[in-house]
Amino acid sequence: MRRLFHIRNDCQEKVSTELVRTKPSRIVMEQLNIQGMMKNRHLARSIQQQRLYSFKKKIEHKCGKYGIQFVEVNRWHPSSKRCHSCGYVKPRLSLSERTFVCDSCGTTMDRDLNASINLSQYGA
Ligand SMILES: [Zn+2]
């Protein structure tokens, strides 16, 4: 268990360093409803093990160190439900829907990619 902890921590260090090395002007992260996710027994254990809070802290710290703007988006922002192309917001989107299909303009793409584009445009 201790070994696994070190592997994960090491991985977080590497990924966060790689991110800031690409010299972005800013990094936008979404606030996750971790407590809410912990209530889902299928997710609870893996979420706890991933130590997302510590990952966020590492990125935030490195952004500060290299003068990169760090933006944390409120968890109520509909990054997943919103179509990055036309702005339509889906009333519902279940966790099992991995592909985003816009009911308004028909845009179809990977759910996480659509959410990432929305986050990258946040406040811009
Ligand atoms: Zn659309």
Side-chain angles (χ1 to χ4, degrees):
M1 210 49 208
R2 220 179 128 70
R3 192 176 127 78
L4 205 53
F5 172 85
H6 284 294
I7 291 171
R8 288 201 171 101
N9 195 55
D10 196 47
C11 180
Q12 286 189 351
E13 284 294 346
K14 281 182 185 148
V15 172
S16 56
T17 297
E18 270 172 39
L19 279 173
V20 298
R21 274 200 186 138
T22 63
K23 298 192 174 71
S25 55
R26 66 175 192 161
I27 291 180
V28 183
M29 282 185 93
E30 188 173 31
Q31 223 177 40
L32 294 174
N33 177 8
I34 293 179
Q35 282 192 324
M37 288 159 88
M38 293 293 282
K39 284 179 190 150
N40 180 330
R41 64 190 176 88
H42 299 292
L43 297 175
R45 199 175 143 79
S46 58
I47 286 165
Q48 207 169 18
Q49 288 173 345
Q50 296 307 321
R51 303 181 68 246
L52 297 173
Y53 183 76
S54 119
F55 184 52
K56 185 193 90 176
K57 281 292 162 199
K58 283 185 173 66
I59 290 177
E60 194 174 7
H61 174 76
K62 287 175 190 178
C63 279
K65 199 170 155 187
Y66 296 101
I68 298 164
Q69 186 192 2
F70 180 80
V71 182
E72 196 175 9
V73 177
N74 184 295
R75 70 173 152 112
W76 304 113
H77 180 70
S79 57
S80 296
K81 290 180 182 167
R82 183 181 179 276
C83 171
H84 83 276
S85 181
C86 74
Y88 173 78
V89 178
K90 278 176 172 291
R92 281 193 63 81
L93 182 71
S94 82
L95 207 53
S96 61
E97 290 174 60
R98 301 314 304 168
T99 300
F100 179 91
V101 181
C102 179
D103 304 325
S104 177
C105 75
T107 290
T108 302
M109 69 160 54
D110 177 81
R111 170 204 182 105
D112 294 331
L113 182 58
N114 178 62
S116 301
I117 295 171
N118 279 329
L119 289 172
S120 76
Q121 295 169 344
Y122 182 80

